[in-house]
Amino acid sequence: FPVTIAAGIDWMSRNWNIPILQVVRVDEDGIEVPQRGHAALELLRRPHPYLNGQALASAFVRDILCVGSSWIEKVYNRVSDVIELKPWPPLAVTAVFPVDGSEYLTAWKVSINGNWQ
């Protein structure tokens, strides 16, 4: 039984990245105009020096199916451009709720080397 589930998750994670992505701009007439060579497309194709877009999409799908959440860190350069995308382990991120119940959600914490920050 677990092998059947693992095979299904593996198939979904490997085949998720099949759609061809595009960035469009909607003009004043409501017409979508494709934006060829957009930086977001390149970032999704090669999100990290050691990770390709298929691997990032596979990790995203696997985490959603197995844990119910997926987290991707945006890495910025000095001029605030996103230059890398890194998947985080989903169990290394948790929501922070006030003890008194005054708000639903106030923050997120991440575990880095076993320390919650």
Side-chain angles (χ1 to χ4, degrees):
F1 180 70
V3 173
T4 304
I5 294 171
I9 290 170
D10 180 58
W11 183 88
M12 285 190 271
S13 68
R14 283 184 292 112
N15 290 287
W16 178 261
N17 208 17
I18 290 175
I20 297 172
L21 301 175
Q22 71 175 0
V23 174
V24 298
R25 180 183 56 80
V26 179
D27 68 13
E28 56 277 349
D29 296 324
I31 307 286
E32 293 182 350
V33 180
Q35 303 296 295
R36 303 212 187 317
H38 194 279
L41 296 174
E42 180 59 28
L43 187 61
L44 289 169
R45 187 188 71 73
R46 190 68 176 173
H48 187 272
Y50 305 106
L51 188 71
N52 65 26
Q54 176 65 41
L56 181 70
S58 293
F60 179 84
V61 171
R62 181 201 61 229
D63 292 346
I64 290 291
L65 292 172
C66 294
V67 183
S69 65
S70 187
W71 298 91
I72 298 173
E73 174 187 9
K74 296 187 294 185
V75 179
Y76 295 90
N77 64 10
R78 292 182 180 178
V79 292
S80 299
D81 295 327
V82 179
I83 58 169
E84 289 182 14
L85 299 173
K86 295 180 181 179
W88 280 2
L91 298 178
V93 180
T94 189
V96 178
F97 302 97
V99 187
D100 64 2
S102 60
E103 293 180 74
Y104 171 67
L105 174 70
T106 57
W108 295 94
K109 282 189 177 183
V110 62
S111 176
I112 299 174
N113 297 325
N115 298 315
W116 289 98
Q117 301 177 15

